Amino acid sequence: QVQLVESGGGLVQPGGSLRLSCSASGSTFSTTAMGWYRQAPGKQRELVGGITIGGRANYVDSVKGRFTISRDNAKNTVYLQMNSLKPEDTAVYYCNSWSARFPWGQGTQVTVSS
């Protein structure tokens, strides 16, 4: 069973940057399209963007141009580079498959505040 471990969150000022990592156990990572999700307080979890097996990424409009998803199949890791962060990006960030079929990890908290 795949296990997902997110890391790299923290407190950052508006306009700052963070790079999140998600490590996946198991042998299916390299054949799985992956996604990054987030859940803000009092809101439902939402998709931020995803990346195909071949490395093609797409994003929701609210983060387009600011966030970049990449993956390293040799390391079973997917990354989320977040630039020009805004207070509304504050949330717990998770990774999962594009269809969210794996058990959710614990997520990593991102707080954007001055």
Side-chain angles (χ1 to χ4, degrees):
Q1 179 166 317
V2 173
Q3 290 186 317
L4 303 168
V5 179
E6 300 90 352
S7 62
L11 173 64
V12 63
Q13 292 187 341
S17 298
L18 282 174
R19 188 195 194 204
L20 307 184
S21 299
C22 169
S23 296
S25 64
S27 59
T28 61
F29 176 83
S30 63
T31 60
T32 303
M34 295 294 294
W36 277 98
Y37 303 78
R38 66 185 179 186
Q39 187 168 18
K43 295 187 177 181
Q44 289 189 334
R45 185 151 37 201
E46 63 174 359
L47 178 69
V48 173
I51 187 165
T52 65
I53 297 169
R56 183 173 183 176
N58 51 37
Y59 310 90
V60 296
D61 286 346
S62 60
V63 306
K64 203 171 292 184
R66 300 188 298 121
F67 289 11
T68 303
I69 299 174
S70 60
R71 66 189 298 161
D72 186 335
N73 290 336
K75 295 183 179 179
N76 277 16
T77 302
V78 61
Y79 303 98
L80 179 64
Q81 176 68 43
M82 304 186 295
N83 299 328
S84 302
L85 282 162
K86 303 176 181 180
E88 51 263 43
D89 295 319
T90 294
V92 179
Y93 284 72
Y94 304 85
C95 70
N96 209 313
S97 73
W98 184 251
S99 59
R101 72 175 190 266
F102 300 140
W104 293 97
Q106 84 288 349
T108 186
Q109 175 71 48
V110 172
T111 303
V112 185
S113 175
S114 55

